[in-house]
C-alpha cells in the first residue's frame, strides 16, 4: 500500500467510517466520525495510521461479513444492531488487533486534545477543561539566548544541562561572581507548546513527544531478548521518561517536593545488601543535607504543611507557602486513613498555593502532570534558579547546543559544543573553562563522560528509579473529576516500616486521568466500545478513583548505561545503551505497596478494587532515574566523591540525580536540588586556582 493510499484508507473504505460510528455511536452527542475523527485524520495525516494495510484488510473483512449478514449489502449499509454484531465477532476473533487499532484512532479523534485540535467534542461531553473558565494565561519569560557567534573562548564554568541540578549550579556560581555558560540541548520553547496536547506529552505520548529530544538521539534498549534501537521520537516509555526542555523535567512536573528520610541515607546499614545487588549508604547524612533542604524549599518555592508527613524529618524552618487546600479525594482518603490508624497530610508541592515572588497562584487545572503550567505557577529551574543566575550578569544561556566531548587537564578543561544544533549549518565550538559541571541527567551525564573517556568503571552503573503500583476502584462520589493540580494526599506510614520490606514507599491519591487514558482503559464490566462505553465516559468515568504507590528500588551493578556499539547520534557519537535489571527485593517492595494501596482504597469504601499491571516504564530511564555517577568516599564503590568531583578527573563535577546512591521512597527532585546546592557551595569554596 502506498503512502497516498495510507492517507486515504478511511476515505476509500466506508466500512471504517461506519465502524467508527458504532465505536462511538450518536446520542445527544455526535457519533465518532462527524464528532471529531474525520477532522483528526485530516489534520494528523498519516500519524495515526500505524497499520493502514491492516485497516484496509479489516474494512474488506467487514464488507465480506456484511454481505453474509444481508445478501449483497456492504457493512455501511447494515443497521446499527447488525453492525454491532459483526464488530463484536471481529473483536473476539480474527481481526482483533486491527479492530483495537481502529478503536484507538476513534478515541484519539474524539477524546484527545492536541495542538491542532485543542477541544474535540468528547472533552466537552465529559466536562474536561484545560483550565478553569476565566483563567488568564500567563507565559513565563524565558531568558534571552546567547548567539553562538558571541560565545567567548573561556568561562569560569561551563554548566551542561538546565534542569534542577544545572540551574542550581548556575545560580550559585554566578552569584559567587564566576562567569557561567549554561548549555541547553533544546531550543527555547514557550510553555504554550508544552501543554494541552494529550497525544504528544511525555507521560501519555501516543506519538513523538513535544519535550524532545527528537530524531538523531538513538538509544539502545538492552534485555535478555536482545538489543532494540529506539530514537528520540518514539515511545517515551521505551526511550525514557525524562523531559528534554529548558528547565528539564521541572518544566512539566507536578512538583511533589519531598525530603528523603534520615533512614534513606543509610539503606545498606539498615537492611544489608541483598545478593547480587549494589546497595550502598550515602557518604553524607540527612543532618548534613538538612540546611540545603531548607534552602531548596525556600529558593524553589514549596507549599506544604508540617505534621504527619514531616515528623520523621527534623526541620530548621517551615515551608514558604501554605499547603494546597483540601478537595474531595483528600477528604475521602483522609477518613479512610483515620480508620486504618495511618498518618496522612497534604503533599508538599513546588507550586504556588498563593501568589509568590511576583507569579500567580495555581488555578488547579486538570493536566498539571506532564504539561507546562498555564499561569506560571509551577516552580522549576527555568523560572527560579536560572533567572537569578542571569540577573547577576555573570551567566548566559546557549540554547539549541549540545556538549559532545569534555577534555580534562590539571590546568583547565574544555568542552566541545555543537551550537545551532537543529539548523542546517550547526557550528562546532570549543570553550575552555576552569570547571565543567555536568548536569545532563542520569542517562546523558554518563553517556557524555564515557564518550569523553572520563571516569572509572562505576560511571554508568547502578541506574535505578522507583517501583510503582497503581490500584483502581469505584467510589460513590466524583472525588477526582478533573480537579488539579494532581496528587493531593499522602501517607508515609509504609516508609521504613514493618508493613513493606526494604524501606517501603509512599502512597498518594491517583491524579485525575486524561480522557483518552480513561477511554482506552474503562472500568471492569464496561464494554470497550459502543453505547455503554460512551455512556460510561459521560456518566460513570468520574466515579473511578485510585491510589498510586511508589517505593524503593534496589540498585544492581548490571543495570547500567554504556555506549552503544554501531549506533551513533547526529554528531557521530555513540548513543546510550540502557539495561535495566530488577532485583527480587524491588519486586517485594512493589507487591507490598500494591497491597497497602488496595487496603487504603477498600477502607475508603471502594468497590472492584484491582491493581493495574504493566504500568512501570519499560526503559531503564524512568522519570526518577539516578545512581549512574553515584557519590562515594571510595572510588571502588562510586564514580564521584561526596562533592560530585569525578574520580580520576581534575576539573569535572557532576551535579544532578546521577549522584544519588539510592533514591528514597519519594520523588527525588527536592533532594536533587538540595544536594546541588551543597555540591555547588563546596565548589565555590574550593574553587581551583
Amino acid at each position: 500500500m502506498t503512502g497516498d493510499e495510507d492517507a486515504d484508507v478511511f476515505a476509500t473504505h466506508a466500512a471504517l467510517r461506519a465502524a467508527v460510528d458504532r465505536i462511538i455511536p450518536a446520542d445527544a452527542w455526535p457519533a465518532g466520525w462527524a464528532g471529531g475523527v474525520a477532522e483528526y485524520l485530516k489534520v494528523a495525516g498519516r500519524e495515526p495510521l500505524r497499520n493502514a494495510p491492516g485497516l484496509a484488510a479489516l474494512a474488506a473483512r467487514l464488507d465480506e461479513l456484511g454481505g453474509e449478514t444481508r445478501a449483497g449489502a456492504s457493512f455501511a449499509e447494515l443497521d446499527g444492531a447488525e453492525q454491532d454484531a459483526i464488530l463484536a465477532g471481529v473483536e473476539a476473533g480474527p481481526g482483533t488487533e486491527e479492530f483495537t487499532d481502529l478503536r484507538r484512532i476513534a478515541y484519539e479523534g474524539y477524546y484527545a486534545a492536541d495542538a491542532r485540535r485543542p477541544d474535540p467534542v468528547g472533552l466537552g461531553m465529559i466536562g474536561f477543561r484545560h483550565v478553569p473558565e476565566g483563567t488568564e494565561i500567563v507565559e513565563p519569560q524565558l531568558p534571552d539566548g546567547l548567539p553562538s557567534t558571541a560565545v567567548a573562548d573561556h568561562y569560569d564554568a561551563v554548566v551542561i544541562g538546565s534542569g534542577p541540578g544545572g540551574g542550581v549550579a548556575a545560580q550559585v556560581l554566578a552569584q559567587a561572581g564566576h562567569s557561567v555558560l549554561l548549555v541547553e540541548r533544546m531550543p527555547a520553547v514557550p510553555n504554550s507548546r508544552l501543554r494541552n496536547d494529550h497525544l504528544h506529552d511525555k507521560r501519555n505520548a501516543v506519538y513523538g513527544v513535544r519535550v524532545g529530544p527528537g530524531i538523531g538521539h538513538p538509544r539502545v534498549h538492552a534485555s535478555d531478548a536482545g538489543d532494540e534501537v529506539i530514537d528520540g521520537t518514539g515511545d517515551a516509555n521505551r526511550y525514557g521518561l525524562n523531559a528534554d526542555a529548558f528547565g528539564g523535567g521541572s518544566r512539566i512536573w507536578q512538583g511533589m517536593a519531598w525530603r528523603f528520610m534520615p533512614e534513606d541515607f543509610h539503606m545498606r546499614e539498615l537492611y544489608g545488601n541483598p545478593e547480587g545487588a549494589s546497595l550502598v549508604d550515602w557518604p553524607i547524612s540527612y543532618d548534613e543535607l538538612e540546611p540545603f533542604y531548607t534552602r531548596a524549599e525556600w529558593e524553589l518555592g514549596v507549599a506544604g504543611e508540617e505534621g504527619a508527613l514531616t515528623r520523621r524529618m527534623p526541620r530548621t524552618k517551615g515551608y514558604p507557602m501554605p499547603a494546597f487546600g483540601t478537595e474531595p479525594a483528600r477528604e475521602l482518603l483522609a477518613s479512610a486513613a483515620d480508620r486504618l490508624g495511618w498518618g496522612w497530610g497534604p503533599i508538599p508541592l513546588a507550586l504556588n498555593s498563593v501568589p509568590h515572588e511576583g507569579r500567580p497562584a495555581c488555578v488547579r487545572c486538570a493536566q498539571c502532570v506532564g504539561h507546562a503550567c498555564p499561569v506560571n505557577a509551577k516552580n522549576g529551574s527555568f523560572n527560579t534558579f536560572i533567572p537569578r543566575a542571569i540577573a547577576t550578569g555573570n551567566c548566559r544561556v546557549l540554547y539549541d547546543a549540545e556538549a559532545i566531548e569534555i577534555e580534562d587537564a590539571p590546568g583547565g578543561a574544555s568542552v566541545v559544543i555543537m551550537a545551532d544544533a537543529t539548523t542546517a549549518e550547526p557550528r562546532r565550538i570549543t570553550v575552555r573553562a576552569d570547571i565543567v559541571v555536568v548536569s545532563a541527567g542520569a542517562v546523558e551525564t554518563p553517556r557524555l563522560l564515557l564518550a569523553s573517556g572520563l571516569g572509572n568503571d562505576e560511571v554508568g552503573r547502578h541506574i535505578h528509579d522507583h517501583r510503582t503500583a497503581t490500584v483502581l476502584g469505584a467510589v460513590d462520589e466524583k472525588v477526582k473529576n478533573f480537579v488539579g493540580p494532581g496528587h493531593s494526599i499522602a501517607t508515609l506510614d509504609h516508609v521504613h516500616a514493618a508493613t513493606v520490606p526494604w524501606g517501603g514507599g509512599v502512597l498518594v491519591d491517583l491524579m485525575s486521568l486524561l480522557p483518552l487514558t480513561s477511554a482506552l482503559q474503562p472500568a471492569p464490566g464496561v464494554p470497550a466500545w459502543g453505547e455503554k462505553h460512551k455512556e460510561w465516559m459521560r456518566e460513570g468515568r468520574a466515579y473511578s478513583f485510585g491510589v498510586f504507590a511508589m517505593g524503593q528500588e534496589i540498585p544492581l551493578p548490571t543495570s547500567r548505561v554504556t555506549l552503544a556499539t554501531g549506533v551513533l547520534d547526529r554528531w557521530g557519537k555513540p548513543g546510550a545503551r540502557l539495561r535495566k535489571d530488577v532485583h527480587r527485593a524491588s519486586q517485594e517492595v512493589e507487591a507490598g505497596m500494591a497491597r497497602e494501596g488496595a487496603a487504603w482504597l477498600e477502607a475508603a469504601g471502594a468497590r472492584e478494587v484491582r491493581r493495574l499491571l504493566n504500568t512501570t516504564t519499560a526503559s531503564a530511564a524512568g522519570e526518577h532515574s539516578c545512581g549512574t555517577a553515584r557519590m562515594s568516599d571510595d572510588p571502588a564503590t562510586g564514580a564521584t566523591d561526596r562533592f560530585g568531583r569525578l574520580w580520576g578527573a581534575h576539573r569535572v563535577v557532576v551535579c544532578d540525580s546521577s549522584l544519588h546512591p539510592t533514591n528514597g521512597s519519594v520523588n527525588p527532585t527536592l533532594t536533587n536540588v538540595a544536594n546541588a546546592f551543597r555540591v555547588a557551595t563546596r565548589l565555590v569554596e574550593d574553587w581551583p586556582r
Side-chain angles (χ1 to χ4, degrees):
M1 180 172 285
T2 67
D4 289 342
E5 289 170 330
D6 280 358
D8 291 337
V9 65
F10 277 84
T12 303
H13 298 286
L16 295 180
R17 302 192 298 273
V20 164
D21 282 346
R22 298 315 302 162
I23 292 170
I24 308 173
D27 49 20
W29 292 82
W33 186 252
V37 179
E39 177 65 16
Y40 171 53
L41 292 170
K42 177 181 177 181
V43 299
R46 296 176 60 186
E47 189 174 54
L49 302 178
R50 298 173 176 171
N51 183 19
L55 291 172
L58 173 63
R61 176 64 176 155
L62 293 178
D63 280 335
E64 178 185 346
L65 293 171
E68 293 177 5
T69 300
R70 190 190 306 166
S74 67
F75 178 82
E77 292 171 329
L78 302 179
D79 63 36
E82 292 170 323
Q83 291 173 340
D84 287 352
I86 290 175
L87 292 177
V90 169
E91 181 184 29
T96 298
E97 183 177 342
E98 290 76 14
F99 180 71
T100 298
D101 205 32
L102 181 65
R103 186 168 62 90
R104 170 188 59 80
I105 292 171
Y107 292 157
E108 288 171 11
Y110 206 79
Y111 293 115
D114 65 14
R116 300 157 299 202
R117 302 165 45 261
D119 294 297
V121 168
L123 298 191
M125 184 186 79
I126 64 177
F128 178 93
R129 288 181 174 273
H130 297 294
V131 295
E133 189 172 1
T135 297
E136 180 180 353
I137 304 299
V138 179
E139 295 285 352
Q141 182 64 47
L142 302 183
D144 292 334
L146 179 69
S148 63
T149 54
V151 174
D153 293 334
H154 176 272
Y155 293 85
D156 294 342
V158 173
V159 177
I160 300 168
S162 65
V168 166
Q171 175 188 321
V172 172
L173 297 181
Q175 289 179 336
H178 294 292
S179 60
V180 177
L181 178 66
L182 180 60
V183 180
E184 168 51 49
R185 181 164 70 170
M186 302 304 290
V189 176
N191 270 13
S192 59
R193 287 181 53 190
L194 301 180
R195 62 173 180 264
N196 301 352
D197 192 328
H198 303 168
L199 295 172
H200 303 87
D201 76 85
K202 196 75 173 183
R203 269 295 193 85
N204 304 283
V206 178
Y207 305 107
V209 296
R210 295 291 188 232
V211 282
I215 61 172
H217 300 87
R219 287 177 176 174
V220 173
H221 176 77
S223 68
D224 291 339
D227 287 0
E228 177 187 4
V229 179
I230 306 171
D231 208 345
T233 57
D235 182 352
N237 281 295
R238 303 283 292 169
Y239 186 86
L241 279 167
N242 296 109
D244 285 81
F246 177 67
S250 68
R251 192 78 176 276
I252 61 169
W253 68 327
Q254 190 217 332
M256 284 199 278
W258 299 98
R259 295 185 179 201
F260 285 2
M261 286 191 178
E263 296 93 329
D264 291 323
F265 298 85
H266 305 287
M267 288 285 290
R268 182 167 181 143
E269 177 185 341
L270 287 172
Y271 301 107
N273 184 46
E275 183 179 359
S278 52
L279 192 61
V280 295
D281 295 333
W282 286 54
I284 63 171
S285 68
Y286 174 88
D287 289 342
E288 291 176 73
L289 198 57
E290 198 285 330
F292 299 101
Y293 268 132
T294 296
R295 183 176 181 182
E297 288 166 348
W298 281 78
E299 296 205 23
L300 177 60
V302 177
E305 174 182 290
E306 295 186 77
L309 300 186
T310 63
R311 63 172 179 249
R312 294 161 63 188
M313 292 161 276
R315 303 174 59 87
T316 54
K317 195 174 184 180
Y319 289 104
M321 288 181 283
F324 275 72
T326 192
E327 41 91 16
R330 189 186 301 176
E331 297 296 320
L332 180 69
L333 286 179
S335 296
D338 288 342
R339 286 191 288 275
L340 292 167
W342 296 356
W344 61 272
I347 295 172
L349 298 171
L351 307 173
N352 292 347
S353 61
V354 295
H356 183 69
E357 293 197 344
R359 292 182 286 111
C362 167
V363 295
R364 306 190 77 152
C365 74
Q367 56 178 27
C368 184
V369 181
H371 294 255
C373 182
V375 298
N376 200 21
K378 180 178 297 190
N379 302 327
S381 181
F382 65 100
N383 60 1
T384 58
F385 311 132
I386 296 174
R388 293 182 196 125
I390 300 291
T392 67
N394 296 324
C395 177
R396 296 300 303 271
V397 179
L398 183 64
Y399 295 106
D400 193 20
E402 187 167 359
I404 64 171
E405 186 176 350
I406 301 169
E407 296 180 1
D408 172 72
S414 62
V415 182
V416 179
I417 300 169
M418 299 303 299
D420 304 326
T422 58
T423 66
E425 298 183 1
R427 302 182 67 247
R428 183 184 178 99
I429 303 171
T430 299
V431 179
R432 294 179 295 107
D434 296 339
I435 286 290
V436 177
V437 179
V438 187
S439 304
V443 174
E444 295 302 316
T445 284
R447 181 174 86 100
L448 177 58
L449 295 176
L450 291 169
S452 302
L454 298 174
N456 61 19
D457 186 58
E458 291 291 291
V459 172
R461 289 192 184 273
H462 321 293
I463 189 168
H464 63 290
D465 193 296
H466 283 117
R467 302 314 297 171
T468 63
T470 300
V471 185
L472 291 177
V475 294
D476 293 330
E477 53 183 312
K478 299 178 180 180
V479 296
K480 207 73 173 180
N481 194 23
F482 306 132
V483 175
H487 308 295
S488 172
I489 180 176
T491 178
L492 297 176
D493 278 28
H494 305 287
V495 177
H496 299 295
T499 51
V500 182
W502 305 104
V506 63
L507 295 173
V508 302
D509 59 321
L510 188 64
M511 61 191 176
S512 186
L513 299 177
L514 290 177
L516 178 61
T517 303
S518 296
L520 292 170
Q521 301 175 10
V526 176
W529 56 277
E531 178 183 344
K532 293 297 183 183
H533 180 278
K534 189 177 183 184
E535 180 181 328
W536 177 80
M537 284 292 293
R538 188 169 56 244
E539 307 294 340
R541 172 205 48 79
Y543 296 96
S544 287
F545 181 54
V547 165
F548 179 73
M550 182 170 62
Q552 299 270 1
E553 183 163 65
I554 305 302
L556 287 158
T558 55
S559 293
R560 64 187 302 193
V561 178
T562 56
L563 297 180
T565 300
V567 177
L568 305 179
D569 70 5
R570 55 185 174 172
W571 314 123
K573 296 292 184 178
R577 182 177 186 270
L578 309 177
R579 181 178 178 102
K580 176 70 170 292
D581 296 316
V582 180
H583 197 280
R584 59 168 179 79
S586 299
Q587 295 172 334
E588 291 172 11
V589 173
E590 192 175 318
M593 296 304 300
R595 181 187 64 246
E596 299 302 328
W600 201 7
L601 267 186
E602 288 165 355
R607 307 174 303 281
E608 302 169 352
V609 175
R610 79 273 184 199
R611 178 184 174 186
L612 288 185
L613 299 177
N614 302 320
T615 57
T616 301
T617 175
S619 171
E623 289 178 289
H624 302 164
S625 296
C626 70
T628 50
R630 70 184 187 184
M631 300 182 294
S632 175
D633 289 333
D634 183 353
T637 58
T640 70
D641 72 7
R642 64 172 54 205
F643 294 107
R645 293 174 294 209
L646 188 69
W647 288 116
H650 304 276
R651 303 276 178 155
V652 178
V653 173
V654 176
C655 192
D656 60 20
S657 64
S658 306
L659 296 175
H660 296 189
T662 54
N663 214 21
S665 301
V666 292
N667 305 62
T669 301
L670 189 74
T671 300
N672 185 10
V673 170
N675 195 47
F677 273 121
R678 185 187 67 87
V679 167
T681 298
R682 183 57 176 254
L683 180 56
V684 169
E685 294 170 352
D686 293 345
W687 194 260
R689 298 294 186 265

